[in-house]
Amino acid sequence: MAERWYDRLSSILGHEFDERKSIILYADDADFRQTNIANIGEGTQGVTEGARQRVVLPMAGTYAETDHVLGHELVHQFQYDISQRSGRFAQFIRLPLFVIEGMAEYYSVGREDALTAMWMRDAVLRDDFPTLDDLQRSGAYNEYQYGQPFWAYLAGTYGDQAGVQFFRTALDMPLDSAVVAVTGLSPDDFSARWRVALEDQLAPPAAGRSVPGPDRTDEELEAIAKDRRERAEAIAEGDRPDRPRFLAYPDSLPRLTAQRLLARERETGTINIAPQLSPDGRYVAYLSELDLFGIDLFLADAETGEVLTKLESATTDPHLDALRFIESAGTWSPDGTQFAYVVFAGGDNEIALLDVDRRDVVRRLAVEGIGAIKDPAWSPDGTRIAFAGVRGGITDLYVVELATGEVTQLTNDRFADLQPAWSPDGTQIAFSTDRGAGTDFVRLTFSPMQLALYDVADGTIETLGVFSGVKHINPAWAPDGESLYFISDRGGFNDVYRLDVATGEAYQVTNLATGVSGIADLSPALSVAEQTGNLAYSVFEGQRYSVYRTEAADAVGTPVGGTASNAAAILPPEDAYARSVVQNYIADATGGLPEATTFPTRGYSPKLSLDYISQPQVGVGTDPYYNSGFGISGGISFLFSDQLSDNVLGLAVAAQGTFKDIGGQALYLNRGKRLTYGAIAGHIPYLQVFYDRPPLEEPDEVDLIGFTRYYYRTYVTQASGLASYPLNQSQRFEAELGYRRLGYDVEYDAYYQTGSGCCGIERRELDSFSIDPLHLGQGGVAYVGDTSLFGFTSPIRGSRYRLGADLTAGSLVFGSVTADARTYVFTRPPGFPRRTPVTLAARLLHFGRYGADAESGRLTPILLGNPQLVRGYNPRSFDSNETFGAFVDRIYGSRLAVASIEARLPLLGVPQLGLINFPYLPTELVFFGDAGFAWGEAPYFGISGPPVGGEDLVCDVEVTCYGSTFGDQKPIFSAGVSARVNLLGAIIVEPYYALPFSRWEVEGDVSPGRGVFGVNLSPGW
């Protein structure tokens, strides 16, 4: 497959690789999700990594889909190679995604694509088709579904070579200029012609077909008419109209008469997919992004559409990593008490059995040797579950006995077998398969998915020839066992059909202008209630998915037969189909196929090679105030890894102007197994600059201005071993063991008398400062959990916790304990707009040092007044040394405990999350309350403090000592309001106003009823 794609793409793109490129293939998508090369989500089918141009993908459910994804990713590989070798990589990564992904989709799929045509037809029928400027500036349009038609129109109108020329030209100039250079049209003119082509070609086949949508009141119909008039007037005046405010199709098309069950205006979500009716037809389980973050499993009333409860959420369940939703649906037990669905857990797929009433997973079925599981189907007698499983890259049908857990493989061949469905009497299993005449494993051609029947008694398979040359997926039996419902893209439209199994006659049940569809081409979108025969199916409308219900009596359908034109699935211009180079090479299965069918293999041997060199950073600074000279700082880092990124080595070097300030660090990690281990070693100088009175250590020194500048360095030299063992994607154990040396050095700017008078300045060592270095052996373990979901500026849902203990021995002996728990309750208060949820956040934190040297002066005191802990008590917020001195013991110590609560409201954001739609400066309004308690005495030594010589410091009359004992200490409290602002994704700024209640007790400090302003430069906790 790869060699064939390389032959195709190198020919049309006019480009050859000058070195071998890596293709990393996983046996199934469960293994693919565990790759160390990139972060993989449920919706990712493949990825091309840019640093080393590695293509990474799993074996998909069918060979045809694997072939498509491989071709798509190899286009990306060519894009990377062309841009990097031409020195235009920086311009390439600035190209809009619709250009990058659309090109990959067009050159791997071609011009015939019923799913993409459905998206385009929906857009033009609703009069909501974007311009090129819209595609570049708005995130509202899917880059794949709009990018592929863009390339199809460009290459179809101006020739496939013009498409290649456009890509290369876009690497040399802005995109709009590239459009003009290749087409001779302005971007607006090109957009207008593209839109007309889509309307002329895709709208006529929709004539007479029904359109989905909600029922409208007279007021809404008038508002729609007014919106259309205003848009028409704007176009007539040469202005760009706003997007339509309503989901509305042409009045000339008939309305879909099925019951609209789950839809956006019914507040069930905008992505409502994989509906599964309960056996009695009273309930429907479905998958949706209703709660905004990820796809969750919900239960709704199948009569009214009311959402009754959330059944499962992988985002908040620490035992699950994700729900499988792209190419799999769930299944009800025959008695309707349990629901089975596929989850990712422990690195593989498992079938979870959920007690619907208790909303509790009562059992999880893992199948040894099968990493990827799809499409569970409960048997009519309730004793077995059939499913599609991927083993060794091949998808077959299996059955698991619920009583014993025994697994039986039903099919065992190279064909793809998906979406099993038991007949009502349990004697047959209908499924979708590529066992058609077009499948040839020598020529690597694959038939569209067909329907087949598996005889449970004797294992024989009968392929059902319904329509020719089109897909047949998602079989579902009628209660009488005589009819089989399914989805087909016959005629270029995805519709529901009914097959009379005995006669072979087919009937069309739906006749939609858009389509019955899930997210992907093979996604299940249909179910039938086992007892009532009612149908539920997801319909694509307005770039989202709604669920409709059809009564059994209305699902008989009209007879259809023969072949139907596929013109509705072809992207414009239609006349380019026959002359398209892309279409021709897709049709030529043997072109580029190597003669060899076997290739040499060898074991994998990891070898490190360079992945990345950071941009060298150099900075120069001068002192305009004290003429103390100038400084130079800079740094560079390197990243090495093997082909699988299982072994990673990072190196970094940094300097801050002098030889003393040169530091470096090396980190190695081995991530090839579940247990990640590694080591870190380095020497890092930390420089602090402050002002104090001059020491006058030398006879020629003078006190010129009453103070001077000090340069205080702490040198941290360390070597440690690291380990991490994940229990799942949200929980892990961590451990570290190593050695650390802390050395110290102080310099100061000395003003001295010169031979000609006063004065010179030079940097000198502070001889009176001679603290012995610390030699510390350190070890620690921690248990960490994190199911939180991050919003624009802080976590807004889930929980986080860390329980850790560290032991330090050597020059100092003490232990440290960390107990940190945080929870985030995502709620939608009554009366609030749906786009403005509130997160109620709570935190409990304890950190403390314990043991013989826990209160040593060699350790920096812990500051409870850090604004990330308790706001309103930052030492910088005190107006005078007197007020600070009167309060200092309450905000320093060697141990602390903190409790915080916050109400987080998205103020500025996107339409789905934000009171005001302003995505350029996401802002969160926060109401907070903080409380803290610090205890334990903490000696503190300054540069001009008591005599030092290596001995430890204790609290006495000569040593500054912060903090109080537990019995003498008092807690501190504050409350207030803040706004967290995300500045262009670079930094989060939190200005706050806090009422420091405890400071009101100090005379001369903050007056009662007044507060203090402050700023945090960090995300919310």
Side-chain angles (χ1 to χ4, degrees):
M1 287 181 183
E3 294 295 337
R4 180 169 65 185
W5 276 116
Y6 179 79
D7 182 79
R8 293 168 173 175
L9 297 174
S10 62
S11 176
I12 194 170
L13 296 176
H15 183 82
E16 298 275 350
F17 293 159
D18 62 358
E19 60 182 0
R20 290 186 177 183
K21 306 293 184 183
S22 300
I23 298 174
I24 299 170
L25 184 66
Y26 289 88
D28 54 58
D29 56 359
D31 289 346
F32 173 58
R33 284 175 59 93
Q34 300 175 68
T35 183
N36 288 318
I37 297 172
N39 292 323
I40 304 299
E42 160 67 354
T44 304
Q45 297 176 300
V47 66
T48 302
E49 176 269 337
R52 297 171 65 171
Q53 300 179 27
R54 292 171 287 186
V55 166
V56 190
L57 75 159
M59 292 294 293
T62 69
Y63 281 130
E65 185 59 19
T66 300
D67 188 42
H68 160 227
V69 175
L70 180 60
H72 180 103
E73 298 304 330
L74 283 178
V75 175
H76 286 322
Q77 209 169 48
F78 272 92
Q79 290 172 334
Y80 279 118
D81 200 65
I82 291 171
S83 61
Q84 289 182 350
R85 287 169 58 185
S86 64
R88 298 290 187 269
F89 183 70
Q91 174 64 14
F92 167 68
I93 61 177
R94 286 196 292 265
L95 290 175
L97 279 178
F98 85 91
V99 173
I100 296 173
E101 296 295 349
M103 178 180 176
E105 199 68 354
Y106 171 66
Y107 284 105
S108 61
V109 175
R111 318 188 63 81
E112 184 176 351
D113 190 333
L115 189 70
T116 298
M118 175 186 73
W119 277 71
M120 295 301 96
R121 185 176 297 108
D122 174 82
V124 297
L125 289 177
R126 292 184 297 104
D127 193 24
D128 186 21
F129 192 78
T131 64
L132 291 185
D133 185 65
D134 294 331
L135 290 176
Q136 293 182 69
R137 300 178 184 278
S138 173
Y141 302 97
N142 185 287
E143 55 267 18
Y144 294 87
Q145 255 57 17
Y146 284 87
Q148 181 189 358
F150 163 77
W151 280 93
Y153 178 73
L154 176 69
T157 303
Y158 301 96
D160 283 304
Q161 286 306 313
V164 177
Q165 179 190 356
F166 173 77
F167 175 70
R168 293 182 178 272
T169 304
L171 297 178
D172 292 325
M173 60 184 69
L175 187 70
D176 289 352
S177 300
V179 172
V180 176
V182 173
T183 69
L185 300 174
S186 70
D188 285 343
D189 289 341
F190 179 91
S191 300
R193 294 192 184 190
W194 179 25
R195 175 180 182 137
V196 169
L198 287 164
E199 291 173 342
D200 291 347
Q201 183 171 323
L202 297 183
R209 286 180 165 267
S210 57
V211 291
D215 294 330
R216 298 294 189 186
T217 64
D218 291 340
E219 292 79 8
E220 288 175 328
L221 292 174
E222 176 56 34
I224 291 172
K226 179 181 178 182
D227 186 46
R228 288 172 172 169
R229 289 194 300 270
E230 291 175 349
R231 287 172 53 80
E233 292 170 359
I235 294 173
E237 294 174 1
D239 297 328
R240 179 177 299 176
D242 295 330
R243 293 188 66 184
R245 295 185 295 117
F246 299 92
L247 173 65
Y249 293 92
D251 295 333
S252 59
L253 297 178
R255 288 286 310 280
L256 177 62
T257 57
Q259 180 187 357
R260 187 176 173 85
L261 194 62
L262 306 171
R264 180 179 181 179
E265 77 280 356
R266 302 176 69 89
E267 296 193 346
T268 63
T270 59
I271 301 177
N272 304 286
I273 54 175
Q276 293 295 306
L277 286 168
S278 62
D280 59 8
R282 295 176 55 198
Y283 304 106
V284 58
Y286 72 105
L287 295 165
S288 175
E289 42 52 88
L290 175 61
D291 276 352
L292 197 59
F293 300 100
I295 299 294
D296 298 328
L297 180 64
F298 292 89
L299 182 71
D301 188 298
E303 295 289 338
T304 65
E306 178 188 359
V307 178
L308 302 176
T309 187
K310 181 195 297 184
L311 294 175
E312 184 63 276
S313 173
T315 57
T316 55
D317 188 338
H319 304 293
L320 304 180
D321 297 333
L323 299 177
R324 186 164 199 137
F325 65 90
I326 296 292
E327 294 182 347
S328 184
T331 179
W332 289 84
S333 62
D335 60 6
T337 62
Q338 294 187 26
F339 189 77
Y341 53 96
V342 179
V343 300
F344 289 91
D348 285 320
N349 285 171
E350 297 178 355
I351 300 175
L353 306 185
L354 179 87
D355 185 297
V356 176
D357 289 337
R358 291 161 43 199
R359 290 184 52 202
D360 183 38
V361 174
V362 295
R363 186 177 177 188
R364 296 216 318 247
L365 301 172
V367 183
E368 184 176 355
I370 300 177
I373 296 174
K374 305 178 182 182
D375 315 311
W378 220 306
S379 65
D381 61 6
T383 63
R384 293 166 290 176
I385 291 180
F387 62 91
V390 182
R391 186 199 298 266
I394 297 175
T395 307
D396 284 305
L397 299 184
Y398 298 82
V399 165
V400 57
E401 296 282 347
L402 296 180
T404 64
E406 180 182 355
V407 177
T408 302
Q409 184 170 354
L410 303 183
T411 62
N412 187 10
D413 47 50
R414 298 176 65 184
F415 296 105
D417 302 322
L418 304 168
Q419 300 170 342
W422 292 87
S423 62
D425 60 6
T427 61
Q428 293 179 306
I429 297 177
F431 61 100
S432 186
T433 180
D434 59 3
R435 300 166 183 270
T439 296
D440 186 330
F441 293 113
V442 176
R443 299 173 64 248
L444 295 180
T445 60
F446 311 102
S447 165
M449 301 302 287
Q450 306 295 308
L451 297 180
L453 297 178
Y454 177 89
D455 190 291
V456 176
D458 59 22
T460 58
I461 295 174
E462 176 189 1
T463 302
L464 305 176
V466 186
F467 305 128
S468 175
V470 297
K471 77 173 182 183
H472 307 67
I473 63 169
N474 204 171
W477 291 90
D480 59 11
E482 297 179 359
S483 295
L484 196 61
Y485 293 95
F486 63 96
I487 297 172
S488 175
D489 60 359
R490 176 181 181 271
F493 292 87
N494 284 282
D495 276 307
V496 177
Y497 292 84
R498 182 178 66 87
L499 173 69
D500 187 308
V501 178
T503 65
E505 295 180 355
Y507 302 83
Q508 185 170 350
V509 177
T510 66
N511 188 37
L512 282 159
T514 55
V516 176
S517 176
I519 293 177
D521 195 45
L522 299 183
S523 297
L526 166 70
S527 71
V528 178
E530 295 177 8
Q531 298 171 17
T532 66
N534 295 339
L535 277 63
Y537 45 91
S538 56
V539 172
F540 181 78
E541 55 175 34
Q543 298 192 96
R544 49 186 180 259
Y545 300 85
S546 300
V547 171
Y548 287 77
R549 191 189 71 151
T550 295
E551 298 285 339
D554 299 324
V556 177
T558 57
V560 293
T563 59
S565 171
N566 67 341
I570 297 175
L571 300 173
E574 185 177 10
D575 61 3
Y577 188 90
R579 53 183 166 81
S580 168
V581 176
V582 173
Q583 211 60 47
N584 288 335
Y585 73 52
I586 289 176
D588 180 11
T590 58
L593 275 183
E595 294 182 1
T597 57
T598 60
F599 303 90
T601 61
R602 64 175 183 267
Y604 175 64
S605 177
K607 296 180 180 179
L608 296 180
S609 59
L610 182 63
D611 279 355
Y612 171 79
I613 303 178
S614 71
Q615 186 75 21
Q617 299 177 352
V618 178
V620 177
T622 63
D623 182 356
Y625 300 106
Y626 300 101
N627 193 31
S628 61
F630 70 95
I632 300 176
S633 65
I636 190 170
S637 59
F638 306 84
L639 180 65
F640 302 83
S641 75
D642 64 345
Q643 282 286 357
L644 299 179
S645 290
D646 289 344
N647 297 271
V648 178
L649 175 64
L651 302 175
V653 179
Q656 298 187 63
T658 69
F659 182 78
K660 291 183 176 182
D661 298 311
I662 297 176
Q665 194 171 55
L667 171 66
Y668 168 75
L669 290 175
N670 185 308
R671 307 181 295 177
K673 302 293 184 180
R674 188 166 191 170
L675 175 63
T676 296
Y677 62 89
I680 184 170
H683 172 77
I684 303 175
Y686 293 93
L687 175 64
Q688 296 173 277
V689 180
F690 63 94
Y691 295 89
D692 205 338
R693 64 183 184 270
L696 303 179
E697 289 191 334
E698 300 295 334
D700 62 344
E701 294 181 9
V702 296
D703 185 358
L704 184 64
I705 55 178
F707 60 88
T708 191
R709 179 185 297 177
Y710 287 84
Y711 306 86
Y712 176 57
R713 294 183 182 87
T714 301
Y715 301 100
V716 179
T717 304
Q718 66 168 348
S720 300
L722 311 171
S724 175
Y725 187 83
L727 302 176
N728 47 54
Q729 287 189 341
S730 61
Q731 296 171 312
R732 66 185 182 274
F733 287 103
E734 296 178 351
E736 180 176 0
L737 180 65
Y739 163 79
R740 178 173 299 185
R741 178 189 184 276
L742 280 73
Y744 307 92
D745 173 72
V746 178
E747 294 177 323
Y748 66 99
D749 288 337
Y751 295 91
Y752 63 92
Q753 292 180 336
T754 64
S756 59
C758 186
C759 291
I761 181 173
E762 68 178 9
R763 189 180 299 186
R764 295 177 177 177
E765 297 280 349
L766 183 63
D767 294 332
S768 62
F769 182 86
S770 61
I771 291 291
D772 289 342
L774 295 178
H775 299 273
L776 304 173
Q778 295 180 312
V781 295
Y783 176 54
V784 182
D786 190 348
T787 62
S788 63
L789 293 171
F790 202 86
F792 296 121
T793 63
S794 65
I796 59 177
R797 178 172 156 181
S799 63
R800 307 165 76 182
Y801 54 86
R802 182 181 185 90
L803 303 175
D806 299 273
L807 178 64
T808 299
S811 301
L812 298 176
V813 178
F814 65 94
S816 300
V817 174
T818 301
D820 188 353
R822 312 173 188 191
T823 187
Y824 315 98
V825 179
F826 186 80
T827 182
R828 302 183 188 274
F832 276 59
R834 181 164 186 81
R835 65 181 182 275
T836 315
V838 172
T839 294
L840 302 177
R843 171 180 65 176
L844 292 174
L845 167 67
H846 168 63
F847 175 77
R849 301 176 183 138
Y850 297 87
D853 296 316
E855 298 181 354
S856 168
R858 302 295 300 273
L859 300 173
T860 303
I862 302 171
L863 174 60
L864 181 62
N866 185 322
Q868 297 181 33
L869 298 176
V870 181
R871 283 156 283 202
Y873 296 88
N874 191 325
R876 296 179 180 272
S877 67
F878 289 83
D879 293 333
S880 67
N881 291 333
E882 289 74 17
T883 56
F884 177 67
F887 204 85
V888 65
D889 288 340
R890 295 179 66 177
I891 60 175
Y892 280 100
S894 58
R895 305 170 190 93
L896 61 79
V898 174
S900 300
I901 57 172
E902 289 187 354
R904 300 171 177 173
L905 177 77
L907 184 62
L908 305 180
V910 295
Q912 298 87 350
L913 183 66
L915 182 63
I916 301 172
N917 182 22
F918 191 75
Y920 311 105
L921 202 67
T923 300
E924 179 180 69
L925 184 63
V926 180
F927 300 92
F928 64 83
D930 297 330
F933 186 81
W935 71 99
E937 293 183 332
Y940 178 76
F941 65 93
I943 299 305
S944 53
V948 294
E951 68 276 8
D952 201 3
L953 300 176
V954 295
C955 293
D956 57 29
V957 295
E958 295 182 318
V959 178
T960 302
C961 192
Y962 294 156
S964 300
T965 63
F966 186 88
D968 295 333
Q969 188 59 285
K970 296 179 181 179
I972 61 175
F973 302 93
S974 68
V977 62
S978 71
R980 294 194 182 106
V981 184
N982 189 320
L983 297 179
L984 304 178
I987 189 172
I988 294 174
V989 180
E990 181 193 8
Y992 63 84
Y993 181 76
L995 298 175
F997 304 123
S998 303
R999 290 176 62 177
W1000 294 351
E1001 306 167 7
V1002 178
E1003 185 176 353
D1005 197 7
V1006 181
S1007 301
R1010 301 186 64 112
V1012 296
F1013 289 96
V1015 176
N1016 261 326
L1017 298 178
S1018 66
W1021 46 264

